[in-house]
Amino acid sequence: MSVNRPAAVVVLAAGEGTRMKSATPKVLHEICGRSLLGHVVSAARALDPRELVVVVGHAREKVTAHLGELDAQVRTAVQYEQNGTGHAVRMALAELADGDLSGTVLVTCGDTPLLTGATLQQLADTHAADGNAVTVLTAEVPDATGYGRIVRDAGDGAVTAIVEHKDATPAQRDVREINSGVFAFDGRLLSEALGKVRTDNSQGEEYLTDVLGILRGEGHRVGASVAGDHREIAGINNRVQLAEARRMLNGRLVEDAMLAGVTVVDPATTWLDVEVTYEPDAVVHPGTQLLGATHVAADSEVGPNSRLTDTWVGAGASVSNTVCEGARIGEGASVGPYTYLRPGTRLGRKVKAGSYVEMKNAVVGDGTKVPHLSYVGDAEIGEHTNIGAASVFVNYDGESKHRTTVGSHCRLGADNMYVAPVTVGDGAYSAAGSVITKDVPPGSLAVARGQQRNIEGWVARKRPGSAAALAAEAASEEGRDAASGENGAGASGVAESAGSVRSSGGAAGQVPAEEG
């Protein structure tokens, strides 16, 4: 814990953000898996302040509800009317009136998601070390157009003024150090100075920046702390800036992953959320998004073109061209391509979930294979079982979901339907094309399909002149020509062939002689 633990951090989040052109409050827009306000709260929490208060105003019900989910210890102060930043901080201090504000009070903005806890801590440390009444977080930018310039004392480097661009002299406009809108105050002096802020300006508002002039006029020192990366102080006002911030934050996250031992084949097309975790020697291929609380273990490979949300990928697993939501993939498992794992799916070690397979709320045992073209929903499958292609677990009867249980070491045929609730025992087999509606005992062969019936000549009678009819006629002629040429041709050859069929007994698919 830092020795410069702030008495409080105040986050200003009452604005409407009209330039976002959205029904969603600006501070609730998300980048990299967290709201703008969530990023700011997380950075503030890194300082372990005694109090953390967020000033809410526009859409305060939504913002307050979000804060309740985000951090139950955050306090809120309501700014019912947007009367300026000084007024907003007064509302925050009124909310904190029951606490001890002796010490440092930091004020930051709810729309600066790139600001880090380390930079805020640097601000608090500089404030304490220099003995300032106010310390401004500043940054040196390549182009300062439109920003308030920091004017310093030539002798001791103290801040003497913050001059808005429109009011700056030509010499001041050459200054590249700008105001971020983030401050560290002596809590007691801040409270006293806010009572002296006037509203005789063009907006009729209480400006927080006026506090700097008031305290300097009373003989107190105003200093500055320069951010190491000017991009940290960027505020978000529209969708363009939102996208830029997302790209910058994603760049940080991808770089952190690579420095931690993850191979990111194409950083430009890889997107990570802030809560994603990983282990060394994981590989992330191009076009991959790792979202939410996803974890990628050592020696696993994810991608290309995959989106994993709140998914755990075990060591040595392979996930290609896949969408996963709330799934758990075991060690050495193979998933994809073109696979969809929905919430509740749990794959054991060395499971195969192949191409065009969808699973939902399914638990699959070690070594089991669902190779392709299948839907497995609300099911439990044992170990080392093979599910045939084009199988469907029929789990919904129109009102309720039901569960299917398949044992271990089963060999189940292609194009099977399992109409839940149903259980297939260990070591059972099923025939291709079966619709399984009854439990299958262990070691049994389940055959559930109708007897095949061929109606000869149907196409010629019902679809005369069609391409199918012409093809069938041609094939019949070829068959007759081939038959007539067998065994020297003629009736004797045909009779000999027919006799061999009649003498073959009752094998499957044949008619016994006595029943002919």
Side-chain angles (χ1 to χ4, degrees):
M1 183 185 299
S2 170
V3 295
N4 295 318
R5 181 188 185 193
V9 175
V10 175
V11 180
L12 306 183
E16 184 174 355
T18 55
R19 281 178 282 176
M20 295 298 288
K21 301 188 186 309
S22 174
T24 300
K26 178 176 72 171
V27 295
L28 299 191
H29 282 264
E30 292 189 1
I31 60 172
C32 300
R34 186 178 286 166
S35 68
L36 302 184
L37 182 56
H39 286 289
V40 176
V41 168
S42 177
R45 277 294 182 214
L47 279 67
D48 190 32
R50 293 200 298 269
E51 297 286 356
L52 175 54
V53 60
V54 176
V55 181
V56 299
H58 173 71
R60 58 184 177 274
E61 296 85 1
K62 289 184 178 179
V63 177
T64 301
H66 176 68
L67 285 168
E69 297 173 356
L70 190 70
D71 186 334
Q73 302 304 312
V74 170
R75 299 174 69 168
T76 57
V78 180
Q79 186 185 24
Y80 290 100
E81 297 181 5
Q82 312 298 293
N83 291 331
T85 51
H87 177 258
V89 175
R90 272 206 303 119
M91 298 301 98
L93 296 190
E95 171 65 27
L96 298 174
D98 59 344
D100 178 11
L101 289 181
S102 61
T104 301
V105 174
L106 269 66
V107 178
T108 187
C109 304
D111 63 353
T112 54
L114 300 177
L115 189 60
T116 64
T119 296
L120 287 177
Q121 187 64 65
Q122 172 193 309
L123 172 63
D125 292 344
T126 300
H127 178 76
D130 292 352
N132 296 330
V134 187
T135 307
V136 186
L137 179 64
T138 69
E140 294 186 359
V141 296
D143 181 2
T145 302
Y147 291 99
R149 305 307 203 279
I150 299 297
V151 180
R152 290 179 180 261
D153 184 277
D156 64 1
V159 175
T160 60
I162 299 176
V163 182
E164 295 304 318
H165 178 84
K166 64 180 183 298
D167 301 322
T169 67
Q172 289 171 336
R173 290 189 178 186
D174 288 338
V175 174
R176 294 191 298 111
E177 186 180 9
I178 65 168
N179 172 33
S180 69
V182 178
F183 305 92
F185 294 94
D186 176 285
R188 180 181 57 82
L189 294 176
L190 171 64
S191 182
E192 294 174 358
L194 283 171
K196 303 173 184 178
V197 172
R198 301 170 61 88
T199 59
D200 54 350
N201 52 64
S202 60
Q203 300 296 320
E205 296 181 350
E206 300 175 31
Y207 293 147
L208 182 62
T209 49
D210 287 352
V211 170
L212 281 67
I214 291 170
L215 292 178
R216 184 170 175 81
E218 294 176 349
H220 299 289
R221 188 177 192 278
V222 178
S225 175
V226 183
D229 184 346
H230 68 87
R231 296 174 298 180
E232 281 195 34
I233 69 169
I236 308 302
N237 294 301
N238 56 49
R239 308 291 182 125
V240 175
Q241 294 171 343
L242 185 72
E244 290 172 349
R246 180 183 292 111
R247 183 167 54 252
M248 285 187 281
L249 181 53
N250 186 70
R252 282 186 201 167
L253 297 171
V254 171
E255 181 176 313
D256 288 346
M258 292 189 291
L259 292 175
V262 177
T263 295
V264 179
V265 176
D266 184 11
T269 63
T270 299
W271 294 88
L272 306 180
D273 276 356
V274 291
E275 294 185 4
V276 170
T277 55
Y278 32 72
E279 298 174 14
D281 293 319
V283 178
V284 181
H285 291 284
T288 294
Q289 302 172 51
L290 303 180
L291 310 177
T294 292
H295 176 77
V296 182
D299 300 312
S300 61
E301 294 195 32
V302 179
N305 308 317
S306 297
R307 187 179 78 236
L308 277 59
T309 305
D310 297 326
T311 294
W312 191 90
V313 181
S318 173
V319 182
S320 172
N321 292 275
T322 291
V323 174
C324 298
E325 299 173 2
R328 187 177 181 89
I329 299 168
E331 296 179 4
S334 173
V335 180
Y338 314 116
T339 302
Y340 184 18
L341 303 184
R342 294 165 57 190
T345 297
R346 301 289 183 267
L347 307 185
R349 296 179 65 256
K350 297 186 177 180
V351 165
K352 179 178 178 62
S355 54
Y356 302 102
V357 168
E358 179 179 349
M359 294 187 180
K360 188 270 296 182
N361 196 24
V363 178
V364 183
D366 295 350
T368 284
K369 298 179 180 180
V370 187
H372 32 230
L373 301 166
S374 295
Y375 171 70
V376 179
D378 295 295
E380 183 168 349
I381 304 175
E383 299 179 355
H384 305 290
T385 283
N386 189 86
I387 305 296
S391 292
V392 175
F393 285 60
V394 185
N395 56 338
Y396 184 51
D397 64 6
E399 294 185 357
S400 302
K401 296 291 182 70
H402 301 281
R403 200 158 182 84
T404 296
T405 301
V406 176
S408 298
H409 299 281
C410 296
R411 298 292 180 266
L412 304 182
D415 195 26
N416 276 196
M417 302 280 173
Y418 305 92
V419 183
V422 70
T423 297
V424 178
D426 292 347
Y429 279 58
S430 67
S434 293
V435 178
I436 307 300
T437 60
K438 299 178 181 179
D439 290 353
V440 181
S444 299
L445 169 64
V447 182
R449 59 189 181 195
Q451 182 75 29
Q452 180 173 325
R453 178 178 171 225
N454 298 333
I455 304 175
E456 296 189 6
W458 185 91
V459 173
R461 293 194 300 274
K462 299 296 185 180
R463 301 289 187 269
S466 66
L470 296 175
E473 182 181 357
S476 296
E477 290 178 356
E478 290 178 3
R480 287 193 293 270
D481 291 344
S484 65
E486 262 186 23
N487 299 321
S492 61
V494 175
E496 183 179 343
S497 177
S500 66
V501 172
R502 284 193 291 268
S503 65
S504 61
Q510 296 176 338
V511 181
E514 61 271 26
E515 296 182 4

